[in-house]
């Protein structure tokens, strides 16, 4: 039974708002109170689409306080990022809202959190969408929460939609959760980055999924997306060296502290290193950064203790620094919607913030990779479903059965899970037995939409109209109008010149060579299933030593030349003098314990001329004997790049021979063109060590990833 509304909801809500923001004169933005009233008084389902910084979190925290005073249960807030959770808990405490989180980083606190929930001492429980499919949480805690829940909040709700720029399979489980909830439990979804198609999709998923004819339509509150504080601009430079040189020349000219976004992890790490080496106080921030270090970096940026974080999209949704002075992109996101979401970090509580895009010629290749990485493949999906039955199979064991790498396998399992074909249970995964068919039409439409979004981003870069107006129209904002501040409206506001010393420093940084290749130290689980008689640790006398690559394919410097060399359809040919010279520099800087005494190559089907000429060239420069290539056995290694560890290992085992080579007693330099999984190098090293090499030093042109 729904409790009676407060006598004066608006006044109670205003008081709570002032406690939340810490200002006695605070009042609601247009639409904020209307959303609160829809949730508290009418117990409706609402979708709020408002610009970043508008105050969407104030809506759900104030609504939570009022609902709790009416006797409602705790609010469950589904939040996508740990950084967002930390900010939300801190904001809640300011308003006297007791907020706690259950996520992957605080497992030691879960029992205390559950005990507090049982005692009704929690107002807001923050959970990640992934947690909704944790078997113990789903089966033990979630049913109780559904019975007691006072309100459900879905933050960054565009993630629910296939059409959102940051779709996540786990978010689709929210449809099932919403369908289980009573009609009088309010539901709020919020986002700043949704066009008309995404809004309609999310509203449908919030709506009458349970078939209750009495359920009222979703209330959609949508405001203008223009950000009057932002000064947008685009600076097109010829290459990565020019972009980095500009940054070295002008980073200190940008106001306050801010974020420098890159498209790849290696670009973030390399850019941060270059800036630090030349006196700039910056930190790298990526999905591979340790969680404690990420939290420390966020705090340092908020306290203006660094000039910038050089970040991938891992620093995105929900990061809250109201006075962030600038956002700069080295390389463009793949859509105007994603770009708007990231630039919205700046200028939330200041009159002016600078936003500058420095697009790169490599952007389209990176977009293509990320656009296709999350799409399920029909043949792979059917392989997984066929491998599963009633008995739970762990992900590592399944990996050994279906020849799909761990990361794409986990993503595919999530998609199949929300499609109802498989289910995660204690001990692993099972097939549900439900019929499943590959929705080719849907994925083709999504892929076509991704391509259209990429073209829109190129149009944004090249438009001579207002840039803010362009972004608003990309999000179907009917209030779009010229901003009067961007480089097209008011003239170029950023410097274009690049210092000669900065150009030299950037070029020198991009010419840096040598990336370590960590050796494999553990045989993959399940190898014995494929008749490979190994398990556990690789013994020290069979391992490869730490190797070297000239560069990563994703690197800003030599990565460009290597991407062209390894592009689909690129012809095989001998190594070029500049590449060979760069490789010699890698060897010159390699501080090995003992110099190699000979050079051996790996046999190559796709680039035999390249590998042979590289091995011969290095042997000649180093005045070492070139022994030739390992011999392929029974046709040589089977399978191509991209498979998982167990299948890659099985396709290599006993398929390389050193019997025809006179292996000397000493370290051997092992040469190949590209390292992907490292299993080829691992098996080749194993073979050479058994043939008498005291150490094997892998060297390749390119490191994948």
């Amino acid at each position: 039974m729904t409790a009676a509304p407060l006598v004066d909801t608006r006044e109670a809500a205003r008081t709570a708002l002032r406690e939340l923001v810490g200002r006695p004169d605070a009042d609601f933005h247009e639409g904020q109170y209307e959303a609160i009233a829809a949730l508290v008084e009418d117990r409706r389902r609402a979708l709020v689409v408002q610009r970043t910084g508008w105050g969407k979190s104030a809506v759900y925290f104030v609504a939570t306080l009022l609902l709790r005073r009416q006797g409602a249960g705790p609010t469950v807030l589904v939040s996508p990022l740990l950084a967002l959770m930390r900010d939300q808990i801190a904001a809640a405490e300011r308003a006297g809202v007791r907020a706690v989180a259950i996520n992957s980083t605080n497992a030691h606190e879960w029992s205390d959190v559950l005990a507090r929930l049982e005692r009704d001492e929690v107002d807001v429980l923050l959970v990640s969408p992934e947690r909704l499919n944790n078997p113990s949480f789903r089966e033990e805690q979630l049913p109780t929460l559904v019975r007691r829940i006072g309100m459900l909040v879905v933050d960054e709700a565009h993630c629910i939609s296939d059409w959102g720029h940051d779709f996540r399979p786990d978010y689709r489980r929210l449809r099932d959760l919403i369908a289980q909830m009573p009609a009088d439990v309010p539901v709020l979804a919020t986002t700043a980055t949704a066009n008309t198609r995404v809004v309609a999709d999310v509203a449908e998923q919030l709506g009458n999924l349970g078939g209750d004819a009495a359920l009222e339509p979703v209330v959609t509150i949508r405001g203008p997306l223009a950000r009057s504080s932002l000064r947008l601009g685009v600076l097109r430079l010829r290459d990565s060296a020019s972009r980095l040189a500009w940054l070295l020349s002008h980073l200190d000219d940008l106001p306050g502290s801010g974020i420098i976004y890159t498209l790849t992890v290696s670009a973030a790490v390399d850019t941060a290193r270059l800036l630090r080496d030349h006196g700039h106080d910056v930190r790298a921030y990526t999905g591979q950064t340790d969680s404690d270090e990420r939290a420390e970096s966020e705090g340092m940026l908020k306290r203006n203790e660094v000039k910038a974080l050089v970040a991938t999209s891992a620093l995105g949704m929900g990061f809250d620094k109201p006075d962030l002075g600038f956002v700069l992109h080295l390389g463009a996101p793949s859509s105007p919607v994603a770009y708007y979401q990231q630039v919205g970090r700046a200028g939330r509580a200041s009159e002016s913030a600078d936003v500058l895009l420095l697009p790169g010629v490599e952007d389209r290749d990176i977009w293509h990779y990320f656009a296709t990485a999350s799409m399920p493949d029909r043949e792979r999906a059917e392989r997984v479903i066929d491998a599963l039955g009633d008995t739970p199979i762990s992900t590592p064991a399944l990996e050994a059965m279906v020849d799909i790498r761990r990361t794409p396998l986990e993503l595919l399992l999530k998609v199949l899970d929300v499609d109802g074909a498989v289910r995660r249970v204690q001990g692993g995964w099972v097939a549900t037995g439900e019929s499943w068919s590959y929705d080719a039409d849907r994925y083709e439409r999504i892929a076509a939409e991704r391509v259209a979004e990429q073209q829109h981003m190129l149009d944004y870069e090249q438009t001579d109209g207002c840039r803010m107006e362009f972004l608003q129209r990309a999000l179907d904002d009917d209030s779009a109008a010229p901003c009067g501040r961007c480089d097209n409206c008011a003239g170029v506001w950023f410097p274009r010149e690049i210092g000669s010393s900065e150009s030299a420093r950037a070029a020198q940084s991009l010419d840096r060579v040598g990336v370590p290749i960590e050796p494999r130290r553990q045989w993959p689980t399940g190898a014995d299933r494929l008749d490979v008689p190994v398990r556990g640790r690789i013994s020290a006398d069979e391992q490869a030593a730490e190797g070297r690559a000239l560069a990563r394919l994703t690197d800003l410097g030599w990565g460009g030349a290597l991407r062209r060399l390894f592009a689909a359809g690129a012809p095989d040919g001998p190594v070029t003098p500049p590449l060979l010279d760069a490789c010699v520099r890698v060897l010159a800087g390699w501080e090995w314990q003992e110099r190699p005494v000979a050079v051996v190559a790996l046999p190559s089907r796709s680039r035999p001329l390249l590998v042979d000429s590289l091995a011969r060239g290095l042997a000649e420069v180093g005045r070492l004997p070139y022994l030739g290539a390992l011999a392929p056995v029974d046709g040589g290694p089977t399978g191509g790049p991209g498979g998982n560890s167990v299948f890659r290992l099985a396709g290599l085992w006993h398929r390389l021979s050193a019997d025809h080579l006179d292996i000397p007693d000493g370290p051997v330099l092992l040469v190949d063109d590209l390292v992907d999984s490292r299993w080829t190098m691992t098996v080749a090293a194993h073979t050479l060590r058994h043939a008498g090499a005291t150490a094997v030093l892998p060297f390749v042109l390119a490191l994948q990833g």
Side-chain angles (χ1 to χ4, degrees):
M1 178 176 173
T2 302
L6 297 173
V7 174
D8 189 346
T9 304
R10 179 181 287 273
E11 191 54 41
R14 185 182 291 113
T15 299
L17 174 71
R18 290 171 176 172
E19 293 172 353
L20 178 70
V21 301
R23 281 185 23 233
D25 60 340
D27 210 340
F28 294 111
H29 299 309
E30 183 177 352
Q32 279 184 314
Y33 176 71
E34 289 73 13
I36 293 168
L39 297 166
V40 175
E41 293 191 341
D42 302 329
R43 304 298 177 96
R44 297 283 295 277
R45 299 183 176 189
L47 170 61
V48 172
V49 184
Q50 296 283 359
R51 67 183 182 276
T52 304
W54 172 84
K56 294 180 287 294
S57 61
V59 171
Y60 49 73
F61 283 137
V62 170
T64 292
L65 278 174
L66 301 186
L67 287 167
R68 292 288 281 163
R69 291 171 188 171
Q70 295 183 25
T75 290
V76 174
L77 170 54
V78 181
S79 183
L81 292 178
L82 300 182
L84 182 55
M85 287 189 182
R86 288 190 285 267
D87 283 342
Q88 288 166 325
I89 290 174
E93 289 175 351
R94 291 196 295 270
V97 178
R98 299 167 297 180
V100 296
I102 290 181
N103 59 53
S104 59
T105 68
N106 71 341
H108 59 288
E109 301 175 1
W110 290 359
S111 58
D112 179 60
V113 169
L114 295 175
R116 291 180 61 189
L117 280 167
E118 190 65 29
R119 297 192 300 268
D120 199 26
E121 295 174 357
V122 172
D123 299 317
V124 177
L125 174 66
L126 295 94
V127 299
S128 67
E130 291 77 13
R131 187 60 37 194
L132 297 176
N133 200 41
N134 176 275
S136 61
F137 181 81
R138 185 187 64 217
E139 295 164 13
E140 298 170 18
Q141 282 87 46
L142 191 58
T144 301
L145 276 175
V146 169
R147 289 194 299 270
R148 294 184 51 222
I149 190 169
M151 179 170 66
L152 175 68
V153 177
V154 182
D155 211 355
E156 307 296 347
H158 58 272
C159 296
I160 294 177
S161 175
D162 291 331
W163 309 105
H165 73 273
D166 196 22
F167 163 67
R168 300 185 180 194
D170 288 296
Y171 257 74
R172 286 174 57 194
R173 295 192 182 94
L174 290 166
R175 295 183 300 181
D176 299 330
L177 175 59
I178 293 168
Q180 297 173 33
M181 291 170 35
D184 63 345
V185 173
V187 179
L188 172 65
T190 69
T191 182
T193 49
N195 57 22
T196 299
R197 175 178 288 189
V198 174
V199 168
D201 192 14
V202 173
E204 179 182 354
Q205 297 186 52
L206 294 181
N208 192 9
L209 298 178
D212 186 347
L215 196 62
E216 295 185 70
V218 172
V219 176
T220 299
I221 298 174
R222 187 170 186 175
L225 299 179
R227 294 288 302 279
S228 61
S229 62
L230 300 186
R231 184 167 62 160
L232 303 175
V234 175
L235 175 58
R236 301 178 68 84
L237 297 170
R238 66 179 182 273
D239 53 25
S240 297
S242 300
R243 297 198 299 275
L244 289 178
W246 186 95
L247 193 56
L248 282 171
S249 300
H250 300 293
L251 177 57
D252 285 338
D253 298 332
L254 295 171
S257 56
I259 301 171
I260 301 167
Y261 278 111
T262 67
L263 297 185
T264 66
V265 170
S266 59
V269 172
D270 291 347
T271 301
R273 182 188 62 212
L274 169 65
L275 292 172
R276 282 197 307 272
D277 287 349
H278 293 91
H280 296 284
D281 198 356
V282 302
R283 279 189 162 206
Y285 186 111
T286 76
Q288 296 179 14
T289 306
D290 178 78
S291 59
D292 289 338
E293 184 179 339
R294 289 201 302 268
E296 181 183 37
S297 294
E298 292 164 20
M300 293 178 73
L301 180 59
K302 290 177 182 179
R303 296 187 297 271
N304 297 315
E305 294 172 359
V306 291
K307 180 64 177 180
L309 297 185
V310 186
T312 63
S313 59
L315 182 64
M317 293 180 293
F319 177 75
D320 186 17
K321 175 176 167 59
D323 62 340
L324 195 75
F326 66 90
V327 170
L328 185 143
H329 281 77
L330 294 177
S334 60
S335 77
V337 179
Y339 185 61
Y340 176 87
Q341 192 266 336
Q342 290 182 349
V343 303
R345 307 268 71 79
R348 293 186 178 193
S350 59
E351 293 183 359
S352 180
D354 288 345
V355 172
L356 185 61
L357 170 63
L358 281 67
V361 294
E362 69 278 6
D363 294 351
R364 295 191 216 195
D365 292 338
I366 298 171
W367 296 345
H368 175 72
Y369 171 78
F370 286 114
T372 57
S374 62
M375 296 291 180
D377 174 86
R378 183 202 301 267
E379 187 274 331
R380 285 184 166 195
E382 292 173 346
R383 205 189 311 162
V384 168
I385 295 171
D386 291 343
L388 293 173
D390 297 333
T391 303
I393 298 176
S394 69
T395 304
L398 183 61
E399 185 182 10
M401 299 168 65
V402 297
D403 192 16
I404 305 172
R405 282 190 177 184
R406 182 71 57 86
T407 298
L409 176 59
E410 289 174 339
L411 180 60
L412 179 57
L413 285 166
K414 289 179 180 181
V415 172
L416 292 175
D417 186 358
V418 296
D419 282 350
V422 306
R423 182 172 177 83
R424 186 181 176 195
V425 297
Q426 294 288 354
W429 295 87
V430 296
T432 63
E434 299 291 329
S435 61
W436 179 86
S437 60
Y438 182 77
D439 194 345
D441 289 344
R442 172 171 153 232
Y443 292 119
E444 287 174 5
R445 292 195 305 272
I446 294 170
E449 180 66 16
R450 296 286 186 266
V451 172
E453 289 173 345
Q454 293 170 13
Q455 184 57 52
H456 292 159
M457 195 65 219
L458 296 174
D459 294 342
Y460 171 82
E461 295 172 14
Q462 297 164 2
T463 185
D464 57 4
C466 174
R467 298 198 189 277
M468 180 58 74
E469 182 180 18
F470 187 103
L471 294 178
Q472 288 179 264
R473 293 194 186 283
L475 276 83
D476 299 319
D477 181 359
D478 293 337
S479 68
C483 70
R485 289 174 55 83
C486 71
D487 56 348
N488 287 338
C489 285
V492 173
W493 51 266
F494 45 84
R496 292 179 179 274
E497 69 278 1
I498 298 173
S500 57
S501 62
E502 285 78 11
S503 293
R505 292 171 184 170
Q508 182 181 19
S509 175
L510 291 176
D511 195 39
R512 184 175 298 190
V513 295
V515 178
I517 304 172
E518 288 295 321
R520 291 278 189 179
R521 304 186 191 279
Q522 191 87 11
W523 297 114
T525 302
D528 55 335
R529 293 172 180 263
L530 298 181
D531 299 323
V532 179
V534 294
R535 63 187 304 172
R537 288 188 60 81
I538 303 173
S539 63
D541 58 358
E542 295 180 320
Q543 287 182 19
E546 182 184 79
R548 291 292 186 276
L550 171 60
R552 303 179 191 88
L553 283 178
T554 55
D555 280 351
L556 293 175
W558 281 98
L562 293 173
R563 286 194 296 272
R564 292 189 293 274
L565 183 67
F566 291 101
D572 183 28
V575 65
T576 63
L579 273 178
L580 182 60
D581 290 345
C583 292
V584 171
R585 286 196 284 127
V586 176
L587 298 185
W590 192 344
E591 297 178 353
W592 40 47
Q593 293 181 342
E594 188 177 352
R595 189 176 187 271
V597 298
V599 177
V600 172
L602 274 157
S604 173
R605 290 195 184 107
S606 58
R607 299 180 188 85
L609 292 176
L610 177 65
V611 175
D612 183 70
S613 65
L614 175 62
R616 290 180 184 277
L618 294 177
E620 182 178 352
V621 171
R623 298 181 181 179
L624 300 171
Y626 175 48
L627 305 182
L630 292 169
V633 177
D634 295 334
T638 61
N644 69 27
S645 290
V646 176
F647 279 80
R648 291 292 295 274
L649 178 61
L652 290 159
W653 197 249
H654 292 324
R655 290 182 176 271
L656 294 171
S657 172
D659 292 346
H660 64 297
L661 301 178
D662 185 13
I663 303 298
D665 182 17
V668 171
L669 186 70
L670 178 61
V671 177
D672 200 5
D673 55 353
L674 177 70
V675 158
D676 180 12
S677 69
R678 291 173 290 152
W679 284 116
T680 301
M681 282 291 185
T682 301
V683 171
H686 181 274
T687 301
L688 288 168
R689 296 296 298 273
H690 278 268
T694 60
V696 176
L697 305 166
F699 179 82
V700 300
L701 286 173
L703 181 63
Q704 185 82 41

